[in-house]
Amino acid sequence: MKRVVVGLSGGVDSSVAAYLLKQQGYEVIGVFMKNWHDESVTLHNECPWVDDSADAMLVADKLGIPFQTIDFSEAYKSRIVDYMFSEYEKGRTPNPDILCNREIKFDVFLQSAMQLNADFVATGHYCQKSEEVIDGQLIYKLLAGVDNSKDQSYFLCQITQQQLAKALFPIGHLLKSEVRKIAAEQNLVTAHKKDSQGLCFVGKISLPEFLQQKLKPKEGNVIEIPAENYQYTRSNHTIKEMSVPYKYTPSMGKVIGTHQGAHYYTIGQRKGLNIGGTDLPLFVIGIDTSENIIYVGKGENHPGLYRKALKMESANMNFLRPDKRVLPGKSLKVYARIRYRQALNEAVLHNIEGDYYLEFFNNQRGITPGQFAAWYLDNELIGSGVIKE
């Protein structure tokens, strides 16, 4: 009998994943990952993980499977939280959910599962896995979930072939409504529990409040850049040139308000500016953390919100399908997204002298340094990289 360690988060998805695996004849062990108890970064004395841990234990008891809690908080702080603060301080926007999967669920958690003599680890992600022998080698494929509105393959864009080989995704072939129906039929305590909206593994803590615990407020100017002052066009430029964000200067616009810290904002952001009286909504189009300036543009069609190309960091390139790696001087037509739930867009992945670029067929709104770009062939995720600029 194959042994599977399931990451029970206290939510409905992982609960049903554990139930289905047991129904399929696996020996199932439930593990709750405790990743946060840093009292220097807390809100309202909340312990959001306590309720989740209790629900996970109740589900394990209901299913009749062994259950334990493992403390990964030290690794979580050093690999996720410290990195997040460092990135935001530089005016970049990391994705903690992708980092959690790369650094915690499919690294330290996977290693712990192997110490329990597990054959696989399983999660409640809405994605699917298949395998195929290509040129005599067994290749594992990460496929989108059947439920288009819940597909979470993007969050797993940084895992490797070795990690995918040990992973199971029991609910990837189901709709969310079907998952909740199964949970209700089995009287699982999580059947009607709302999906978590907080930081990955932390819980109900909101990101702005979380950041304010470490990145202290610092007042600076909000400068509006009129669309007519945005004179840079990229239509006839090279891919390298098109991938470079436009550089704004204070003289290009006018001060229309103040903010409490440029590091709290992200490109494309609308909410949180707290500046009224404009005929169209304001959007963040530029961030200068060294001068503590936020540049904004008026309206969804402001040209400063859009670009057709981006460059990625060489150090964080991940080719989940190594056989689909693009060699220097070569290109590959793909479908790509630069954020979760964004529709896939036609693009070309270029390797130019060892540096990787994504060139989209259509303008992309809010290309954000620090976020992840992921690319697909049909419904298979084949690679990803961190947006450099």
Side-chain angles (χ1 to χ4, degrees), residues 10 46 49-50 62 74 95-96 102 104 117 151 161 163 171 175 196 257 259 266 302 309 314 320 387:
E46 282 190 1
W49 60 268
V50 173
K62 177 74 174 177
E74 186 175 328
N95 189 309
R102 186 182 76 185
I104 305 297
N117 297 316
D151 170 40
Q161 276 285 306
Q163 293 166 326
I171 66 169
L175 301 177
S196 172
H259 59 80
T266 187
H302 192 287
S314 298
L320 180 51
I387 299 172

Side-chain angles (χ1 to χ4, degrees), residues 44-165:
H44 319 303
N45 296 315
E46 282 190 1
C47 295
W49 60 268
V50 173
D51 292 339
D52 292 334
S53 174
D55 288 342
M57 184 168 60
L58 289 171
V59 166
D61 184 63
K62 177 74 174 177
L63 297 178
I65 62 175
F67 175 80
Q68 62 178 284
T69 296
I70 302 181
D71 190 340
F72 295 131
S73 55
E74 186 175 328
Y76 184 86
K77 184 179 185 304
S78 64
R79 298 194 189 191
I80 311 299
V81 177
D82 291 348
Y83 176 77
M84 282 176 59
F85 283 130
S86 173
E87 286 287 272
Y88 274 103
E89 203 165 20
K90 299 170 187 171
R92 294 163 56 83
T93 308
N95 189 309
D97 295 297
I98 290 174
L99 293 174
C100 281
N101 287 316
R102 186 182 76 185
E103 302 291 336
I104 305 297
K105 275 190 178 177
F106 293 94
D107 191 346
V108 292
F109 172 61
L110 177 59
Q111 292 175 30
S112 295
M114 294 302 106
Q115 290 173 5
L116 295 173
N117 297 316
D119 297 286
F120 301 101
V121 294
T123 66
H125 284 103
Y126 285 86
C127 57
Q128 302 177 92
K129 171 185 169 182
S130 70
E131 55 189 61
E132 181 181 349
V133 176
I134 300 175
D135 295 331
Q137 183 176 0
L138 181 61
I139 297 291
Y140 296 96
K141 298 181 177 182
L142 179 65
L143 310 176
V146 165
D147 191 333
N148 288 330
S149 67
K150 299 296 293 184
D151 170 40
Q152 293 174 312
S153 57
Y154 173 76
F155 289 135
L156 298 172
C157 67
Q158 283 275 297
I159 68 171
T160 65
Q161 276 285 306
Q162 292 73 26
Q163 293 166 326
L164 186 56

Side-chain angles (χ1 to χ4, degrees), residues 323-343:
D323 56 316
K324 299 296 183 182
R325 179 186 293 271
V326 177
L327 299 176
K330 300 296 184 180
S331 301
L332 177 67
K333 185 179 176 183
V334 295
Y335 289 91
R337 57 169 52 107
I338 56 173
R339 63 181 62 88
Y340 177 51
R341 286 190 176 172
Q342 182 194 28

